[in-house]
Amino acid sequence: MIPPEPSHDGGSSDEARIRADERGRLSKELHDTVGQAFVVLAMDADRLVRHADRGAESVRPLAEALSSQIRETIALVRATQSAWRATSDGAGPPESFARMVAQQTEAAARAGRLASRIEVEVDDRHLDPSRARAASKALSAALDNVVRHARATRVDVRATLGPKGLVVVIDDDGRGFDLSTAETPISTGLLSMRERTAAHGGGVKVERRPEGGSRVVLAFPAAPRPEEF
């Protein structure tokens, strides 16, 4: 396993600031990405109307393209909704961690038309709720990067919980990226991941996979037991 970058514990004010930053980013994406998708839908619909009197063979390709664009837009909206819910102020995860990982990964796979594999070995009874929320939000940012920037055909997510804490690994077969570049497409998402893990004393490791694509490792050390204070 790749060792995470060390960092220090943060407070509730850091959590609130991170949530606000992420909601600002998602609001911009709703405007720029989802809004643009609906503009394209409207243009395709207008084109279909203009060709309506030219016969079925002329209209069919336009109708099929519009139907495909609608499905893609629905998947994009669902992925954005999932990411938005991950910034909520809930007191704890409303469902099991495994279910949450599955829902987020499946939504991203639909949005990016990706094949996916999910492996979760986490017992919720031993998972600190605050770490579960942070992991959910960091995973959302990682998956968002894969869908928007990786040009991947597959994403695999593995989550394990052991004595040393929670580790989530996200692999894709995309184009990879160069972290030495000052401005990278994933810089905003990476910042979010680092803030989420750092708030719980953990870290993020990002690297190119030997077989191609990228690997992101999110590490959350185990919460200290009461007797350790």
Side-chain angles (χ1 to χ4, degrees):
M1 182 58 63
I2 304 169
E5 298 173 357
S7 51
H8 301 286
D9 205 284
S12 59
S13 60
D14 288 337
E15 278 288 312
R17 177 183 57 79
I18 295 170
R19 280 196 300 269
D21 290 345
E22 289 182 349
R23 284 181 173 256
R25 177 177 63 85
L26 287 170
S27 294
K28 185 177 186 302
E29 289 177 359
L30 281 170
H31 179 271
D32 295 347
T33 307
V34 179
Q36 180 62 29
F38 279 105
V39 170
V40 173
L41 283 179
M43 294 173 63
D44 286 347
D46 289 342
R47 191 178 300 112
L48 184 61
V49 170
R50 290 197 300 271
H51 287 74
D53 59 351
R54 297 189 182 183
E57 292 307 313
S58 175
V59 171
R60 184 183 301 278
L62 295 174
E64 290 175 348
L66 179 59
S67 177
S68 177
Q69 182 66 27
I70 289 173
R71 288 195 297 272
E72 290 180 9
T73 302
I74 291 172
L76 179 60
V77 169
R78 286 175 175 170
T80 305
Q81 286 176 329
S82 177
W84 185 271
R85 284 195 295 269
T87 67
S88 68
D89 297 330
E95 54 211 356
S96 75
F97 187 76
R99 181 173 175 80
M100 180 278 298
V101 170
Q103 288 180 335
Q104 287 185 273
T105 305
E106 289 166 1
R110 287 193 299 269
R113 294 186 173 184
L114 307 171
S116 65
R117 183 176 61 198
I118 305 163
E119 298 178 15
V120 180
E121 298 180 5
V122 174
D123 186 336
D124 292 313
R125 294 172 299 178
H126 304 298
L127 179 59
D128 176 62
S130 65
R131 280 162 173 73
R133 292 195 300 272
S136 168
K137 295 159 188 173
L139 173 61
S140 178
L143 291 170
D144 186 62
N145 278 334
V146 173
V147 171
R148 297 183 186 279
H149 306 301
R151 298 180 187 173
T153 64
R154 182 179 189 86
V155 61
D156 297 333
V157 176
R158 303 192 312 276
T160 57
L161 179 64
K164 293 185 178 181
L166 174 67
V167 177
V168 183
V169 181
I170 304 96
D171 286 331
D172 70 69
D173 64 351
R175 59 178 177 169
F177 46 83
D178 183 3
L179 287 177
S180 66
T181 303
E183 294 293 334
T184 68
I186 69 156
S187 57
T188 301
L190 182 57
L191 176 62
S192 174
M193 288 180 255
R194 283 177 169 162
E195 288 182 329
R196 288 295 178 188
T197 54
H200 293 275
V204 179
K205 186 73 174 182
V206 185
E207 68 173 13
R208 288 179 178 271
R209 300 167 67 221
E211 60 271 44
S214 303
R215 167 169 292 173
V216 176
V217 180
L218 310 172
F220 296 83
R225 302 177 186 277
E227 59 268 22
E228 294 177 354
F229 284 102

